[in-house]
Every structure is written in C-alpha cells, then in structure tokens.
Amino acid sequence: MNILGTLSVFPHIPERIQRLHELADNLWWSWNPDAQALYRHPECVSVGQPAHNPVKFLREVSQKSLNQAAGDENYTALYDRVMAAFDAYMHPDATWFDQTYPELKGKSIAYFSAEFGLHEALPIYSGGLGVLSGDHCKAASDLGLPFIGVGFLYSGGYFT
C-alpha cells in the first residue's frame, strides 16, 4: 500500500493554450469531438496515448510539442473555438433547471450507479448500465441539473 500517494509531473503549458488543463479536468471534452482533437493534434502526438485520455496526454506530451502547438495557427484557431464553446456551455444565461425550478437553487441531486460509461479513456463501465448512466450524466449536464454522480473508481478498469 502506498500511503504517500502518487506524484504527477506535467510539462509547462504555454500561456497561449494554458486552459488545456482546465478542459482536461472537465468531462465536457468527452462528448465534444473538437475538444478531443486538441489532445490528438499532430504537433502534440505523445507516445502511448491510450484511448485519447487528455490528462494522460498532458502528462506525457513533450514540451517541444506543446510549444509548437502554441505557435500553430490551425491549432490555436481550433483551441479558441473549443474554449469559446466550452465557456458558453459552462456559463449559460439560464438553464432549463434554473427556469423550471428556481425554488430549488442550491439543492443537489445525487445519482448513484456502480458504473459510468463516459468515455473509453475512463474504463469504469462494462456495458449497458454504464452507458445508460453516462447518458444520464450528459442529459443532466445539458439541462443544468445540480447533479452529482456517485459510483466506484476502478483504478485498473471495470474488469480489473
């Protein structure tokens, strides 16, 4: 048992594309193909990038590749489009939930599931129930529900 935990070291992300960490830490990327493309760009290819996992990608990508991407007009144009869409999604004027249930502001919904099928990079599901739970999470997010998913974190994958 490792009581000290794990230390992750990330390369320095250039200022021009600094928010790649923020995006990688939010599951919004998992249903946005353009956001996923930011972590697969040819200038930022990392060896052994399993299942397009943005966090692992940022941990393994070379500093040189990040610097090249920050200077690439096509990459930064995609980055700007993705971040504008991300910001609009994260900060809407009003959500369906806000408009329909204003009296419930500050309350939360707990959603319990043994597995969540969110993306292949997160091997915490085995099939139907996980995919359904993932769909519920996406729909709740789109509606602006104050939704908290509670489940298990399988460090080696659902079957390990």
Side-chain angles (χ1 to χ4, degrees):
M1 180 176 176
N2 180 356
I3 62 170
L4 298 177
T6 301
L7 175 67
S8 293
V9 178
F10 293 86
H12 171 73
I13 298 180
E15 186 68 31
R16 179 64 178 89
I17 56 175
Q18 183 64 44
R19 294 181 67 200
L20 285 175
H21 268 300
E22 177 186 353
L23 185 60
D25 288 341
N26 188 301
L27 290 174
W28 182 84
W29 65 263
S30 71
W31 62 77
N32 187 295
D34 285 339
Q36 293 170 25
L38 289 174
Y39 303 98
R40 287 194 305 264
H41 192 272
E43 295 297 323
C44 285
V45 173
S46 110
V47 177
Q49 179 191 351
H52 311 294
N53 181 325
V55 174
K56 186 162 185 151
F57 172 87
L58 290 174
R59 199 171 36 231
E60 295 178 355
V61 68
S62 73
Q63 187 67 57
K64 180 181 176 185
S65 293
L66 285 173
N67 292 342
Q68 288 174 338
D72 179 310
E73 290 180 15
N74 292 326
Y75 185 85
T76 55
L78 174 62
Y79 172 84
D80 291 341
R81 283 193 311 274
V82 167
M83 295 314 298
F86 177 65
D87 289 339
Y89 186 87
M90 296 303 296
H91 306 288
D93 292 333
T95 67
W96 172 86
F97 184 80
D98 293 336
Q99 293 173 343
T100 308
Y101 298 103
E103 71 278 7
L104 296 179
K105 186 174 179 84
K107 303 285 185 185
S108 297
I109 300 166
Y111 182 84
F112 296 89
S113 181
E115 53 185 288
F116 289 88
L118 302 166
H119 188 267
E120 63 185 358
L122 304 166
I124 55 174
Y125 66 100
S126 68
L129 174 62
V131 172
L132 180 63
S133 296
D135 288 346
H136 287 161
C137 290
K138 168 70 166 84
S141 181
D142 288 347
L143 293 170
L145 299 181
F147 190 86
I148 300 169
V150 180
F152 299 109
L153 175 61
Y154 304 98
S155 61
Y158 183 83
F159 292 106
T160 304

